[in-house]
Amino acid sequence: MNNDDAENINLYESLLKKYKKGFRTLNWGSSKSQIRRFKVLAEIGISSGDKVLDVGCGLADFYNWIKKNKLKIKYTGLDITPGMIKKSKKKFPKINFIQGTINRPNFMSQNFDYIIASGIFVYIKNDPDKYMKKTISKMYFLSKKGIAFNSLSSFSLKKDKNEFYANPSDMFNFCKNLSSRVVLRHDYHDNDFTIYMYKDKRI
């Protein structure tokens, strides 16, 4: 386990212990902004029947949002924080949750239609740009239809020195080297961007 993984586990275990549930447990600014991000991620094209992997699932709030919107997906949650996985399993005992990271060499076979990630790059300090690109590549490789991920944007006018802000243009260009069908969204939040990457075979 690297230092970033250990620090992220410690951070989210402490937030879980402090808040128990809700958007503060995941360090979001508000429930409204969390839900807005979920909506944008889902707009990649997720529909009933799809198999979806949620990387950095936290307390499975995305799955809960999906249920409220009456989408019946086959959901798998992945998170590095043991407490998050334990609580998610208790809340949704019939759902598959996995503790770990998508970047481990033997992580699964290509078994998901869509893979999403929300807020997982914020607290990466050791070469965050390299880590982000590695994670995106792995997500894309494991998906059948495509991936959607978000990040804080370097175009933001207000920045926290302890958080990572990716350059949307650089990330778009990187993604275009992997897929010919890429969408960059910077329209839903002042500080955020989301990228959709579709598998080229998808028509």
Side-chain angles (χ1 to χ4, degrees), residues 6-16 25 27 81 123:
E7 289 183 12
N8 273 276
I9 289 172
N10 288 336
L11 170 65
Y12 288 106
E13 289 285 11
S14 66
L15 289 170
L16 182 61
T25 309
N27 224 24
T81 306
Y123 298 113

Side-chain angles (χ1 to χ4, degrees), residues 147-164:
I147 71 170
F149 63 90
N150 58 37
S151 172
L152 292 174
S153 171
S154 62
F155 296 162
S156 174
L157 298 179
K158 296 180 181 179
K159 295 185 178 72
D160 186 316
K161 64 179 182 179
N162 296 316
E163 298 176 342
F164 170 59

Side-chain angles (χ1 to χ4, degrees), residues 56-114:
C57 65
L59 297 176
D61 292 329
F62 178 76
Y63 176 68
N64 200 40
W65 179 84
I66 284 286
K67 281 184 64 181
K68 288 181 179 178
N69 283 274
K70 299 183 177 2
L71 289 176
K72 296 181 179 180
I73 65 172
K74 297 175 182 178
Y75 175 92
T76 297
L78 173 70
D79 202 284
I80 196 171
T81 306
M84 295 291 185
I85 293 297
K86 183 179 180 180
K87 195 154 189 175
S88 293
K89 285 181 175 180
K90 186 176 181 179
K91 186 176 181 181
F92 300 109
K94 295 182 180 180
I95 297 299
N96 184 32
F97 291 100
I98 304 165
Q99 183 195 335
T101 169
I102 197 170
N103 284 318
R104 73 174 190 255
N106 61 341
F107 183 84
M108 296 190 177
S109 60
Q110 195 172 358
N111 196 36
F112 305 100
D113 295 308
Y114 291 104

Side-chain angles (χ1 to χ4, degrees), residues 1 5 8-9 26 45 78 91 96 103-104 124 127-129 145-146 176 184 191 194 197 202:
M1 182 182 297
D5 287 346
N8 273 276
I9 289 172
L26 286 306
L78 173 70
K91 186 176 181 181
N96 184 32
N103 284 318
R104 73 174 190 255
I124 303 300
D127 202 344
D129 191 73
K145 294 182 179 179
K176 282 292 290 181
L184 169 62
N191 301 326
T194 291
M197 295 172 64
R202 185 175 184 270

Side-chain angles (χ1 to χ4, degrees), residues 40-48 50 114 145 148 196 198 202:
V40 171
L41 289 169
E43 286 174 354
I44 188 176
I46 294 172
S47 57
S48 291
D50 283 329
Y114 291 104
K145 294 182 179 179
Y196 306 148
Y198 295 98
R202 185 175 184 270

